[in-house]
Amino acid sequence: MSFLIIIHELGHLLMALLLGGELIKINIYPLGGISKFKFDLNISIIKEFLVLISGPIMQIIGYFILVNILKDYNKLISIYHYSILIFNLVPIYPLDGGRILNLFLSIFIPYKKSLILSIILSIIFIVLIFSYFIFNNITINIVVISIFLLYKVIIEYKNIDYLYERFLLERYLNNYNFKKGIIINKINNFRRSKRHLIKINNNYYLEKDILEKKYKRY
């Protein structure tokens, strides 16, 4: 199990480094890990998806290596492998599945709203999973995992305003060259991977002008 978790996080790490990210820390838990990297929040959706999906892909590769080396333990290895894989792909933020869900949402809705909706959906999934086990086979492990996930989701919720402020500040400080543009009516509707024209009282402003007004006092 430790090997599978480490190889999973190694997949995230290698792809992140390949795309120019820097490792901040890796936390290892009984059913998986959470890696944090230094990336711009305005990194392209495709690049972030590659980092996220590389963990499960590397774990699958590691799984096939293990079952061919330790053939007498194939059943036990399979149980560990699928437990870790399914746990990490559950759409609960900040697990891989929750982050992939957030990426998908951010394609269609503003970044801040995608974060909020990801948190709401994460709580719903935690409640549904916990409710399922209550009526089937509840164990102390399920209780601990549910509490842990809820704790992580609450932390992510508290960080939303900070993340969005950082998201805007990055756009103010850096000259991103986004190909597609959209018209929005307020600063809370900024989208990932898009440039913006802000409409206020029938007047149109470039996003650089709006961000300049917001941050120039600093």
Side-chain angles (χ1 to χ4, degrees):
M1 178 175 278
S2 297
F3 172 81
L4 290 171
I5 293 173
I6 291 171
I7 205 73
H8 180 114
E9 298 307 317
L10 183 62
H12 292 311
L13 175 60
L14 293 176
M15 183 59 71
L17 295 177
L18 183 64
L19 296 176
E22 295 179 22
L23 176 66
I24 298 176
K25 64 178 178 179
I26 298 177
N27 292 326
I28 302 296
Y29 302 105
L31 278 177
I34 296 178
S35 298
K36 292 188 177 182
F37 303 100
K38 185 179 180 181
F39 270 119
D40 282 359
L41 293 176
N42 286 279
I43 184 177
S44 76
I45 291 175
I46 293 176
K47 286 184 178 180
E48 186 171 346
F49 177 76
L50 289 174
V51 174
L52 290 171
I53 202 65
S54 60
I57 290 175
M58 185 68 83
Q59 181 185 324
I60 292 171
I61 294 172
Y63 164 71
F64 282 111
I65 292 173
L66 276 184
V67 294
N68 281 287
I69 294 175
L70 304 173
K71 295 182 179 180
D72 293 338
Y73 299 93
N74 281 5
K75 185 175 181 180
L76 185 60
I77 294 170
S78 294
I79 292 173
Y80 288 157
H81 167 66
Y82 288 110
S83 296
I84 296 168
L85 194 64
I86 292 172
F87 176 77
N88 277 277
L89 292 178
V90 171
I92 297 174
Y93 208 82
L95 301 178
D96 293 343
R99 293 186 181 277
I100 291 172
L101 172 63
N102 177 252
L103 282 183
F104 176 77
L105 292 173
S106 66
I107 295 173
F108 304 101
I109 62 177
Y111 178 59
K112 189 171 186 178
K113 290 181 180 178
S114 75
L115 291 172
I116 295 172
L117 186 54
S118 295
I119 296 299
I120 293 172
L121 292 174
S122 295
I123 293 173
I124 291 173
F125 277 110
I126 291 172
V127 171
L128 289 175
I129 292 170
F130 187 72
S131 299
Y132 169 81
F133 283 104
I134 283 179
F135 294 104
N136 288 274
N137 186 26
I138 189 71
T139 65
I140 187 63
N141 287 339
I142 297 299
V143 174
V144 171
I145 290 172
S146 298
I147 293 173
F148 167 76
L149 289 175
L150 186 60
Y151 167 74
K152 297 298 289 185
V153 168
I154 291 172
I155 290 177
E156 295 296 331
Y157 172 73
K158 291 181 177 180
N159 284 336
I160 287 178
D161 287 338
Y162 162 75
L163 287 174
Y164 192 66
E165 195 68 27
R166 179 183 152 196
F167 172 77
L168 294 177
L169 186 59
E170 284 180 2
R171 297 180 76 106
Y172 171 65
L173 295 174
N174 300 293
N175 293 316
Y176 296 110
N177 186 26
F178 301 120
K179 294 181 179 179
K180 295 183 178 180
I182 59 171
I183 298 174
I184 60 175
N185 57 13
K186 56 183 178 180
I187 199 169
N188 276 344
N189 286 341
F190 272 50
R191 303 270 289 269
R192 290 189 60 165
S193 300
K194 288 183 172 60
R195 63 181 187 275
H196 303 88
L197 194 62
I198 298 90
K199 181 180 180 182
I200 302 175
N201 297 325
N202 292 321
N203 296 313
Y204 293 87
Y205 303 89
L206 297 174
E207 71 170 69
K208 198 72 175 180
D209 296 331
I210 294 296
L211 294 175
E212 176 77 24
K213 184 177 179 180
K214 176 179 173 63
Y215 291 113
K216 68 178 180 180
R217 63 182 182 274
Y218 299 113

